[in-house]
Amino acid sequence: MLLTGTWLESDAKDLTIHLNNKKIWDNCRDGLPFPYTETAADAFIKYASEQVEQNEFCIEVNHEAVGNIGFVRGTDVERFNAEAGYWISETYWNKGIMTAALKEAIEHYFRYTDVIRIYATVYEYNTASMRVLEKAGFQKTGVHRKACFKNGQFINAHYYELLKNKS
């Protein structure tokens, strides 16, 4: 595995293939297009390459782009916080790759930014993602009942955080 840290224009085809998956979309925010097209991939790669602070990390396996880890920095009084979001191709689920890549991305993000806290939200049915966060050092801070509306139903959201001095 190689966490490249940058998305390249040439990754658009891989991104389209791996992210065009309803099972992945079911665990992401509705802002993620589905079906996922090469046009969406091109737009994302353009966005990622224009960021002043690196906040999108390509997960590469065998020279193929198969996932992403992204950080969205807070604003105003929450400017030293960032929300983490991630996905990996279903082909690589339950192989430990996501945990290893997340640890690597967090280490880089903490080192090169002034962020001191990273948090993540996981839908109640995504126990694999909860385990990834826990193995990466995150602590569950609570469950917000019926906090999200996904696929026509209200679902609970599990909240996790990781502080810089704990990584």
Side-chain angles (χ1 to χ4, degrees), residues 11-151:
D11 292 327
K13 184 177 178 183
D14 291 344
L15 177 57
T16 304
I17 290 167
H18 292 290
L19 191 49
N20 192 28
N21 181 319
K22 177 77 162 59
K23 291 178 187 176
I24 293 172
W25 183 83
D26 284 341
N27 291 293
C28 295
R29 294 192 176 174
D30 288 346
L32 178 69
F34 186 80
Y36 199 81
T37 64
E38 198 158 335
T39 301
D42 289 336
F44 170 76
I45 291 169
K46 182 178 187 307
Y47 156 80
S49 67
E50 292 174 347
Q51 299 304 299
V52 174
E53 178 178 276
Q54 184 180 359
N55 61 355
E56 300 293 342
F57 295 81
C58 175
I59 301 169
E60 188 176 295
V61 176
N62 298 323
H63 308 289
E64 184 178 9
V66 300
N68 184 69
I69 299 166
F71 298 100
V72 178
R73 185 186 270 270
T75 60
D76 196 22
V77 297
E78 295 178 332
R79 65 188 172 274
F80 297 105
N81 293 266
E83 182 177 17
Y86 50 86
W87 65 270
I88 193 164
S89 174
E90 186 177 3
T91 305
Y92 298 101
W93 288 1
N94 301 311
K95 297 183 185 311
I97 294 170
M98 188 72 251
T99 299
L102 183 59
K103 285 179 178 180
E104 190 175 323
I106 287 168
E107 181 181 325
H108 182 277
Y109 196 71
F110 274 151
R111 182 182 304 129
Y112 293 103
T113 70
D114 57 359
V115 165
I116 62 150
R117 180 179 170 271
I118 297 174
Y119 65 96
T121 304
V122 181
Y123 303 147
E124 65 186 61
Y125 48 77
N126 193 349
T127 55
S129 187
M130 292 179 205
R131 190 70 192 118
V132 164
L133 291 169
E134 291 163 358
K135 289 192 289 185
F138 283 74
Q139 299 294 315
K140 185 183 282 192
T141 59
V143 177
H144 292 198
R145 297 181 316 143
K146 299 188 184 295
C148 298
F149 189 77
K150 183 73 178 178
N151 289 327

